[in-house]
Structure formats: C-alpha cells, structure tokens
Amino acid sequence: MRLEIAERKRAEEKIQAALREKEELLREIHHRVKNNLQIVSSLLDRQAMRIKDKMVIDSLCDSRSRIQTISLIHTQLYQSENLEQVEMGTTIRKLADFLLQIYAKDKGDITTVITAADIILSITQAIPCALIINELLSNALKHAFKSMAKGSIEIAMRELAGDKIELIVKDNGVGIPEELDIHKIKTLGLRLVRTLAENQLKGEMKLNRDEGTKIYVEFNRRITGRVNKGGKKINE
C-alpha cells in the first residue's frame, strides 16, 4: 500500500514538473514574440523618420500601432500568472495611452473613458479585440474631432446574457457621413474591423450615428475552463 502511494506521489510530481516546464516554455515564447514585435516596430519607426511623404509616414505609423497592439497582449501574458487568458481592462487602458501619445499630440482636449472591469478573454479572442479597438480608437483620434476644441471617446466591454461579450467604441465627433456604408467602405481600417469581428470573433458589427459615431461588436466568448486570479471558474 505504501509502495503504491509512493509511486502515485512520484507520478504526480513528474506531472507537476512537466506542467511547470511547459509554462516556462510558453512564457519564454511570449517574451520572444514580444521582443521580436518591438524590434519590427522600432524598424518601422526609424523608416518613417527617413521618409518625407506624409501618406507613407501615416501608413507606417498605422502598421506600427497594429504591431504594438499585438505586442501588448504578449507582454501581458508574459507577466501574468495565467498564460492563456488576458484581462482586457488593463490591455485597453495601456493601448489607449499608447495611441493617445501617437495620434493626439496636435489635437485639442480629448478625454477617454474606459469601462471593462473583470472581462477575461483567451488569447485567440483578445488579439482581434485589441486590434479592433486599435483601429476604431486611432481612426477617431485622427478624424473625429476636426475643427473641435475638445472631444471624448468611450470604450466599453461588458458581459451580456448567454456568455456573450459586447464591445463599444463611441466618440462625440463629427460622425461618419450618412452616405457611407460601413459594410462596403474601402478604407483599410474599417475593413479590418469588419473582418476581425465577423471572421475572427464570429460576431456582428453595428453602427450608430447619433451624436458622433458609436460602433458595437458583439460575439460569443470562447475560453478555456480555467480559474482566474480571483478563484472564479471561467466557462468553456
């Protein structure tokens, strides 16, 4: 009997050691991906400094912000106890701070309000969500407040019934013209948002033009059945 208990204990210790080794490997992978993405971002930044064409500079800047968005997810995972889940409130706040530094330098008084408490997503959904926020927020900062002394942008993510998630990005700027159909628009940013929402998240994107621009993205949450830091089990 004692021999069986000892063998079971050794087997459990081997399993725990293998799991720790796997976690360290995943952590190292996230760290290396983050570092490589930051190198690419720095190269784009240096390239932009050597170019005089504004359209090319803007394109490089947009590409850099997308790369930094993905890097931000891997940085958070590397620093987190859970290597598969992303706390979106922290991610959105850091992303908003980064984009404000890039796009709001010469703008008026622009405030951001972020609501995303306790929303946890898997990496497979966190990255497209972050990229959607990057596109909508950077687009608002670049275009929504022309000739306006001040403006506000709200970013909210909340849980709905049926384990659904709703993402809202709203600004009180000049708004999208009525004649533009966001489902047929040819600009890369909104096309990317639609592709990420419908193809990656398997969700739906909607637009409200009242008092500025308000874009909704609703999708079903898919996440592994692990336990978060607060001890609450996350549904599959």
Side-chain angles (χ1 to χ4, degrees):
M1 186 63 153
R2 290 181 180 178
L3 183 59
E4 290 180 1
I5 294 174
E7 288 178 351
R8 189 181 302 123
K9 185 176 180 180
R10 282 195 294 271
E12 290 175 354
E13 288 174 349
K14 286 183 179 180
I15 292 172
Q16 291 300 321
L19 288 173
R20 286 193 296 271
E21 184 178 350
K22 178 184 176 183
E23 287 186 353
E24 287 304 315
L25 178 60
L26 285 172
R27 197 177 302 278
E28 179 64 20
I29 289 171
H30 286 307
H31 183 59
R32 292 190 181 190
V33 170
K34 180 260 296 183
N35 285 346
N36 289 336
L37 288 171
Q38 288 183 344
I39 289 171
V40 175
S41 177
S42 296
L43 291 172
L44 290 174
D45 192 33
R46 291 186 181 184
Q47 187 70 26
M49 290 189 294
R50 300 176 60 183
I51 295 174
K52 296 182 179 180
D53 189 310
K54 188 179 183 304
M55 289 185 64
V56 176
I57 293 173
D58 290 344
S59 295
L60 289 173
C61 187
D62 289 343
S63 296
R64 181 182 170 226
S65 72
R66 291 166 187 139
I67 290 169
Q68 283 292 107
T69 298
I70 301 172
S71 176
L72 179 62
I73 298 291
H74 286 281
T75 300
Q76 186 171 333
L77 287 169
Y78 170 70
Q79 297 172 345
S80 173
E81 294 178 7
N82 192 314
L83 298 174
E84 297 179 3
Q85 297 174 1
V86 180
E87 196 280 301
M88 293 304 296
T90 301
T91 299
I92 294 170
R93 288 181 181 87
K94 289 183 177 180
L95 178 57
D97 289 342
F98 170 72
L99 293 175
L100 283 167
Q101 290 176 8
I102 294 178
Y103 296 111
K105 290 180 180 178
D106 302 322
K107 305 293 182 181
D109 182 13
I110 300 175
T111 59
T112 56
V113 178
I114 297 170
T115 307
D118 301 325
I119 301 296
I120 298 174
L121 297 179
S122 66
I123 184 174
T124 56
Q125 290 190 306
I127 288 178
C129 272
L131 286 170
I132 287 172
I133 294 168
N134 171 77
E135 296 302 321
L136 296 178
L137 180 53
S138 59
N139 191 63
L141 290 170
K142 288 188 289 184
H143 305 296
F145 307 110
K146 292 180 178 179
S147 303
M148 294 177 64
K150 61 172 56 178
S152 66
I153 301 173
E154 298 178 26
I155 305 171
M157 184 175 280
R158 61 175 181 166
E159 296 180 346
L160 303 177
D163 210 22
K164 289 181 178 292
I165 299 292
E166 182 182 58
L167 169 64
I168 300 173
V169 180
K170 175 185 177 183
D171 68 69
N172 66 344
V174 296
I176 296 176
E178 289 287 341
E179 61 270 17
L180 289 181
D181 184 346
I182 63 167
H183 295 288
K184 296 180 180 179
I185 200 166
K186 295 183 178 180
T187 58
L188 177 60
L190 285 177
R191 282 170 54 200
L192 181 58
V193 169
R194 184 185 174 193
T195 299
L196 291 167
E198 297 179 355
N199 296 349
Q200 296 294 318
L201 295 174
K202 306 300 181 184
E204 182 180 10
M205 180 178 73
K206 295 180 181 179
L207 168 67
N208 186 321
R209 287 185 170 90
D210 296 338
E211 299 179 357
T213 301
K214 188 175 184 179
I215 291 183
Y216 305 78
V217 175
E218 184 178 313
F219 60 94
N220 290 310
R221 175 160 59 185
R222 302 187 306 275
I223 197 165
T224 56
R226 291 180 175 245
V227 176
N228 63 19
K229 289 184 180 180
K232 180 182 176 182
K233 185 175 181 181
I234 308 299
N235 294 329
E236 295 287 347

